[in-house]
Amino acid sequence: WMVGKFGNLSMTRMLGITGLALITLPFPFNGDQELVLALQRISSFACSRMMDALGIMHVRMGNVLELTEKQLLVEEACSGVDSQYALMAVAGVLLLFGRASVWVSVLTIITVPIWAILGNILRIFSIVLGVEHFGIDLSTGWQHTLLGLFAFAMAAWAHWSSVQFLNWLEWMIAPLSKAVVFEQSIPK
């Protein structure tokens, strides 16, 4: 259908368009729930370690971070599953419009979970810092929504930056590899 509809599409672009469509489907065998649980565990654990490093008194029980002033539950949305899917879509669009090479595309897709987790750690830790140091509750209301959008924007920007870095690396390495091949092909 893609070849007939769009004419001469490369295999990479067809895979990219197909991948972009596939992220709208839930994982089979309840895999999306497993992803949610894994992201909750990672986010809660990392945020707890950061609080330990700053000397913030707390107790972590599973996905609950209990501070002296407030008890915070790292829920599905805060754990990163929503931003995981959204960042995957952002990555797909960046790769399609940027016409990235296969190796840049693969590395970009691999880095999506890393940026999603880091963005959500930023979100959770900002809530903790708001409660602990500034007396502001960022866990509910419009403040929570605004913080979530800010954390997602930061993760998307970091992800875009990593794509640009990979493209730059490819641009720098490709001429070097061609020069080596050219040098080796010159008869002595």
Side-chain angles (χ1 to χ4, degrees):
W1 175 81
M2 281 189 233
V3 172
K5 180 76 175 163
F6 298 113
N8 189 13
L9 277 181
S10 69
M11 183 58 79
T12 306
R13 292 194 46 97
M14 283 191 282
L15 286 173
I17 293 169
T18 305
L20 197 55
L22 285 176
I23 65 168
T24 61
L25 300 174
F27 291 168
F29 308 113
N30 213 17
D32 52 347
Q33 287 298 70
E34 293 299 320
L35 176 64
V36 167
L37 293 174
L39 290 173
Q40 282 176 321
R41 277 192 303 271
I42 292 168
S43 298
S44 300
F45 177 78
C47 192
S48 176
R49 290 297 183 187
M50 289 172 67
M51 288 190 287
D52 287 341
L54 290 179
I56 298 174
M57 295 293 292
H58 72 286
V59 174
R60 182 178 69 89
M61 293 178 291
N63 297 330
V64 177
L65 298 171
E66 192 169 334
L67 303 168
T68 54
E69 295 86 11
K70 188 166 182 74
Q71 184 177 15
L72 302 170
L73 171 64
V74 179
E75 293 183 2
E76 281 185 31
C78 293
S79 68
V81 72
D82 294 337
S83 58
Q84 172 81 18
Y85 290 130
L87 277 176
M88 193 67 78
V90 167
V93 169
L94 284 174
L95 296 173
L96 286 172
F97 283 125
R99 298 177 184 254
S101 67
V102 173
W103 82 270
V104 169
S105 299
V106 168
L107 286 174
T108 298
I109 297 302
I110 290 171
T111 62
V112 167
I114 296 167
W115 294 120
I117 289 168
L118 290 174
N120 286 290
I121 291 170
L122 170 69
R123 182 181 189 180
I124 296 164
F125 197 66
S126 296
I127 293 170
V128 169
L129 286 178
V131 168
E132 190 69 22
H133 291 293
F134 302 108
I136 302 170
D137 187 6
L138 298 173
S139 65
T140 58
W142 65 269
Q143 297 97 335
H144 187 67
T145 303
L146 191 62
L147 178 61
L149 290 173
F150 175 75
F152 178 77
M154 292 303 293
W157 174 78
H159 191 265
W160 176 80
S161 296
S162 68
V163 171
Q164 296 306 314
F165 177 70
L166 290 172
N167 285 328
W168 178 80
L169 274 180
E170 180 181 44
W171 181 73
M172 292 301 289
I173 292 172
L176 292 176
S177 64
K178 288 179 185 175
V180 169
V181 170
F182 179 73
E183 228 176 70
Q184 292 174 350
S185 65
I186 297 175
K188 295 181 181 180

